[in-house]
């Protein structure tokens, strides 16, 4: 034993109960935590195989797709991103990627490592990309893949989909969409929108702990995968093999994270019991109340109203406020976690998540009062009573 090591120094695990209002993870409902604590089955146990099929059916309902290849990839949202690119990109393929935040940048890195010839479609951070910009960037080109982020968690922007997808399809490209922060928070409809490949993550609006990446490929994406000249460069994420385990043959590839799949199944049940449209309305209502409260308090939102993402809200840091001290005080005094700004927005904004189980009236009111109280202590002039009144008025109007 290492000298000085004493197992008694390691106390029982007792994490605090937080109010998770950052960019993710979001609050996890007790039902999901209980599902995770159920007895672990074997990964080829007939009972577990049945739960896998059910999880896939529930995932298809949430993605609004009939795609057979709809599975949770083992790993967080980034594993879903990597799985999409690793399976679809062949060296030398042209891949057009919209870049207007951290996750577009990550896609460029990911595709580049796989030997793609990347066409970056750069747009301002904190704004959606316009159809004109996409049209210009794609003019005369025939990329194999067009990839974009539906909900940019780094900037709080919801990307309008229809026009850019139509433009991409006209070039013959497969369309890949990151819906990590939109799935189950705002509308996502893979089949109606003509999305060929998409990935998400469990810890955002699905309100499940981090650890799985729901992914869906349609027939066209599967055809590109089947038609590869070489093997998929990632053994672990090779969907020809992972798909065999999730498909009819049930062939062992890697051990499924059993209890995480219990958790996802329960999270999906909760989502579909609430109903997708009701869930989107709830997110929008809480977003509207938050915005009304923030603005009435005397602060400003970063993103123009027509491009705002309801599930992730960028609040401008007011003059005189200390970014780090404010976030720390919210956490220690109110138990509220919010996120810092990223990239060019670092130090300029706070990122306030309203994702899944965290998107509630209780949390919005607590955040508004907590933030006002922390800012007042720093000598920043805010109007807490007006903030509360404005948010309450939004809820009252909706009743
Ligand atoms: C969180 C996030 C990811 C990455 O997911 P991880 O679970 O952190 O790996 C990718 N894209 C977007 C838009 C995200 O918000």
């Amino acid at each position: 034993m290492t000298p000085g090591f004493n197992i008694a120094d390691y106390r029982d695990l007792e994490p605090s109960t937080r109010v998770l209002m950052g960019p993710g993870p979001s609050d996890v409902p007790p039902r999901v935590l209980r599902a995770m604590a159920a007895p672990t089955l074997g990964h080829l146990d007939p009972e577990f195989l049945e739960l896998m099929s059910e999880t896939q059916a529930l995932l298809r309902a949430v993605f609004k797709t009939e795609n057979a290849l709809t599975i949770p990839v083992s790993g967080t949202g980034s594993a879903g991103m990597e799985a999409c690119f690793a399976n679809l990109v062949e060296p030398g393929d042209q891949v057009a990627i919209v870049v207007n935040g951290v996750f577009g940048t990550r896609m460029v890195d990911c595709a580049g490592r796989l030997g793609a010839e990347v066409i970056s479609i750069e747009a301002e951070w904190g704004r959606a990309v316009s159809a004109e910009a996409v049209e210009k960037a794609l003019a005369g080109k025939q990329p194999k893949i067009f990839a974009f982020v539906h909900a940019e968690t780094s900037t709080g922007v919801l990307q309008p989909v229809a026009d850019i997808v139509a433009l991409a399809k006209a070039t013959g490209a497969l369309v890949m969409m990151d819906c990590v922060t939109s799935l189950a928070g705002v509308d996502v409809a893979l089949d109606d929108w003509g999305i060929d490949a998409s990935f998400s993550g469990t810890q955002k609006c699905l309100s499940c702990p981090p650890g799985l990446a729901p992914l869906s490929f349609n027939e066209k994406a599967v055809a590109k995968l089947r038609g590869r000249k070489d093997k998929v460069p990632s053994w672990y994420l090779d969907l020809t093999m992972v798909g065999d385990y999730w498909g009819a043959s049930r062939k062992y590839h890697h051990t499924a994270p059993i209890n995480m799949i219990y958790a996802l199944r329960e999270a999906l049940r909760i989502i579909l019991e609430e109903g997708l449209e009701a869930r989107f309305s709830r997110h929008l209502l809480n977003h509207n109340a938050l915005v009304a409260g923030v603005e009435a308090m005397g602060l400003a939102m970063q993103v123009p109203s027509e491009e705002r993402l309801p599930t992730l809200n960028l609040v401008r840091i007011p003059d005189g406020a200390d970014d780090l001290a404010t976030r720390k005080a919210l956490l220690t005094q109110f138990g509220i976690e919010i996120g810092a700004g990223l990239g060019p927005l670092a130090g300029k904004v706070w990122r306030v998540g309203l994702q899944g189980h965290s998107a509630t009236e209780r949390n919005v009111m607590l955040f508004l009062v907590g933030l006002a109280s922390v800012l007042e202590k720093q000598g920043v002039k805010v109007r807490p009573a007006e903030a509360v009144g404005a948010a309450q008025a939004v809820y009252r109007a909706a009743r």
Side-chain angles (χ1 to χ4, degrees):
M1 193 70 70
T2 321
F5 178 87
N6 182 354
I7 190 61
D9 292 341
Y10 297 79
R11 291 173 296 119
D12 284 352
L13 193 62
E14 250 181 289
S16 301
T17 302
R18 304 290 199 206
V19 177
L20 296 175
M21 299 180 76
S26 60
D27 288 339
V28 179
R31 263 175 70 182
V32 173
L33 294 174
R34 280 199 297 276
M36 283 187 93
T40 303
L41 288 164
H43 68 282
L44 293 171
D45 187 312
E47 274 186 40
F48 183 67
L49 299 180
E50 177 68 26
L51 295 177
M52 286 168 68
S53 301
E54 289 180 9
T55 305
Q56 288 181 283
L58 293 162
L59 266 182
R60 289 187 193 104
V62 170
F63 269 126
K64 298 190 182 173
T65 185
E66 313 248 312
N67 293 342
L69 184 55
T70 302
I71 61 169
V73 171
S74 306
T76 64
S78 305
M81 180 186 291
E82 190 124 37
C84 279
F85 282 110
N87 283 274
L88 295 178
V89 172
E90 290 183 84
D93 279 357
Q94 275 199 340
V95 178
I97 302 175
V98 175
V99 182
N100 55 352
V102 165
F103 295 103
T105 309
R106 187 174 294 182
M107 282 181 157
V108 169
D109 189 3
C110 190
R113 286 169 192 236
L114 294 161
E117 188 193 307
V118 175
I119 306 167
S120 286
I121 307 176
E122 308 271 344
E124 191 186 330
W125 283 46
R127 297 299 307 270
V129 73
S130 66
E132 294 70 40
V134 171
E135 188 167 25
K136 209 168 138 216
L138 294 181
K141 303 216 165 67
Q142 286 184 309
K144 291 278 170 47
I145 297 166
F146 171 82
F148 71 100
V149 178
H150 185 214
E152 239 311 341
T153 323
S154 63
T155 63
V157 168
L158 181 63
Q159 176 65 47
V161 170
D163 293 348
I164 66 168
V165 168
L167 288 164
K169 288 204 164 281
T171 70
L174 287 177
V175 175
M176 183 195 299
M177 180 173 82
D178 173 332
C179 61
V180 176
T181 298
S182 50
L183 189 67
V186 298
D187 195 23
V188 169
L190 296 191
D191 290 0
D192 283 356
W193 297 357
I195 306 295
D196 299 301
S198 189
F199 61 92
S200 190
T202 42
Q203 77 276 24
K204 313 267 170 119
C205 300
L206 298 174
S207 277
C208 182
L212 289 174
L215 167 148
S216 190
F217 275 24
N218 70 6
E219 302 267 320
K220 272 168 70 187
V222 171
K224 171 110 169 63
L225 168 59
R226 298 274 172 210
R228 293 181 69 99
K229 283 193 214 71
D230 298 315
K231 281 184 178 177
V232 173
S234 162
W235 182 87
Y236 194 71
L237 299 172
D238 182 340
L239 294 178
T240 62
M241 297 193 290
V242 178
D244 278 347
Y245 173 57
W246 284 89
S249 77
R250 302 296 190 187
K251 202 166 139 207
Y252 166 70
H253 175 253
H254 67 266
T255 308
I258 309 291
N259 294 56
M260 267 310 297
I261 289 166
Y262 297 168
L264 175 59
R265 179 179 172 282
E266 194 63 14
L268 295 168
R269 274 195 340 136
I270 292 172
I271 289 163
L272 293 162
E273 281 165 13
E274 178 177 13
L276 287 173
E277 308 310 314
R279 194 171 175 91
F280 304 151
S281 305
R282 171 166 63 79
H283 281 83
L284 192 59
L285 174 64
N286 286 297
H287 160 77
N288 287 336
L290 183 93
V291 170
V294 162
E295 290 178 342
M297 192 188 301
L299 308 188
M301 300 297 292
Q302 171 70 20
V303 176
S305 59
E306 64 287 358
E307 292 180 357
R308 280 179 202 149
L309 172 61
T311 59
L312 201 281
N313 301 272
L314 262 66
V315 177
R316 284 210 188 114
I317 300 178
D319 288 342
D322 181 328
D323 176 14
L324 187 63
T326 304
R327 284 185 284 117
K328 203 169 159 199
L330 279 173
L331 189 67
T332 52
Q333 291 168 30
F334 294 91
I336 301 173
E337 176 179 284
I338 63 166
L342 292 176
L345 296 167
K348 299 198 173 118
V349 297
W350 291 306
R351 292 184 303 147
V352 184
L354 288 171
Q355 304 181 350
H357 201 57
S358 294
T360 63
E361 178 171 348
R362 184 193 82 148
N363 287 355
V364 168
M365 300 315 283
L366 179 66
F367 167 75
L368 290 171
V369 171
L371 180 64
S373 129
V374 169
L375 290 177
E376 273 187 328
K377 276 191 211 138
Q378 293 178 20
V380 179
K381 244 187 100 42
V382 287
R383 297 188 294 268
E386 283 82 348
V388 167
Q392 278 175 337
V394 171
Y395 289 117
R396 208 177 312 116
R399 274 182 196 121

